[in-house]
Amino acid sequence: MKTRIISLFFILNSIIPVNACTIFLANDGKNVWVGNNEDESSDMKYRFWYIPREEKSWGYMLWSEKHEGYNDVMWKYPQGGMNEYGLFLDYTAIDDIPVINVSSKLNREEEVVNDILKKCKTVKEALQFIAPYNLTKLSGAQLFIADSSGDYATIHGNYVVTKTTQNFSLTNYCIANGHQEACWRRETSMNLLSQYSSFNEKNITHILEEAAQRAPGDVLTNYSMSINLKKQEMVLYMKGDYTTPFKINLVKELSKGKHSSDLTEYFPTNIRTVLNSCYQREGIASTINLYNSLRKNSPDIYNFRNNDAILFGTDLIRAQKKDDAIAFIENLKNKDHRNILINSWLAIAYQYKGNSVQTSRYLNAVLKRDPDNYLANLYSVTSPGKVIFKINTWTGAQNVKLIGSFTEWLKNPISLEKKDGYWYGEVEIPKGRHEYKFLVDDVYYLADPFNLIYIWNGNNVNSILQL
């Protein structure tokens, strides 16, 4: 009982959600879009809330974390929200900056998102609403506000930064007084925003995908949203899967009355979880039979459009269940024999098995169709013993270094070259098992987001390369 009381105290006093994320605004003069990646621990769960218009308040939606035992009150502590006039709000975490109270203002400890969405239509009105208050809890986060006209502002307990450019991106550092820090997510989104003359769902989603934080890692993009503020329409994605959208029309949702839904209710069931449960109970043969049965009989209930089944295969390789991994991925190949990712992972499974003939066969087939394929290049050792790293991510980064057991980690880091949109390097690596990762912008230590063979050492995750 004491633990529950302490937990409740912690939750209800953590007024400002502390979450890393990337928020950007895209304004082409016709439509105003907001893109938002919510990045947190992978086990975090979420809920969406819909509150219709009342006599003295506008209708709006919220999104919040879920915490067991307190889900009914979490709408009071949202991560963000949008109202029927296209006013959008969301928090980004920053290093704590103590709030300096102004004696002429009232101290306000309550979060402001609900009240702003109820009472305000525009950024200007929102700023007027908060003007009388010291936002005493807004010390370790910035609150981004945008409206359907393209106006925006970033709020902290000590400062307000208003619109300076047509397009804008915000991540996880203080932006007061023009301050900037190295952040590949912000630079990636800003670079892509500058490349488009008009914006639509497709290119907003592309920016979200490029700025997403991918597994493995302790902070991942758990959900993403692209929002047309003029239409109050949202497209949701979960767990970095941009092949499976869910569309929300705020007006339609508000017409249903007050209600809420878990994020997971909007998406097909994750087949990876189901397969893993069956495998633990009954082994690989039953798991393959279950997969085939569900694919045939329940294609709308489970998600067969994304890579969840392939990820189960990588789980088996990582667990050293090499024969089972080969059997399962071969079965996937029989269903979709031209899928390059399936063929790449089948090659890697054979590599771990020690079957160089089959490994070369599948890698060569992949490279013939896709010479730039990252996994096939990574596992195809060229003469004399060189491994090609040709990675297409972190496009906004200023520099990327490869570190690992073969560089004695930070002792001899290898700088990758930015070449034709890739971070590129040819590295001599001896045969055997190696751990590695990337150092991005001399700040971020990131595991390989494409080679999903990795190991956790406490809170640290390293990628594994078996040659």
Side-chain angles (χ1 to χ4, degrees), residues 386-426:
K386 286 189 176 181
V387 174
I388 295 175
F389 289 84
K390 192 175 186 180
I391 191 164
N392 184 19
T393 187
W394 313 311
T395 55
Q398 299 302 305
N399 63 80
V400 175
K401 296 182 176 72
L402 173 65
I403 59 175
S405 53
F406 46 86
T407 71
E408 297 185 77
W409 295 100
L410 289 174
K411 186 175 181 179
N412 300 297
I414 297 169
S415 294
L416 300 184
E417 176 188 1
K418 205 164 191 178
K419 184 178 179 181
D420 299 327
Y422 296 90
W423 290 104
Y424 185 88
E426 295 185 18

Side-chain angles (χ1 to χ4, degrees), residues 224-249:
S224 305
M225 53 180 68
S226 66
I227 305 174
N228 186 322
L229 294 184
K230 288 184 180 293
K231 297 181 178 180
Q232 298 89 55
E233 293 178 343
M234 172 187 293
V235 183
L236 268 178
Y237 304 91
M238 189 170 72
K239 297 292 185 184
D241 174 15
Y242 298 97
T243 67
T244 311
F246 182 83
K247 298 188 176 184
I248 295 173
N249 181 290

Side-chain angles (χ1 to χ4, degrees), residues 35 61 64 138 289 317 389 449 466:
M61 67 181 296
S64 74
L138 192 49
N289 289 337
I317 299 173
F389 289 84
Q466 179 74 44

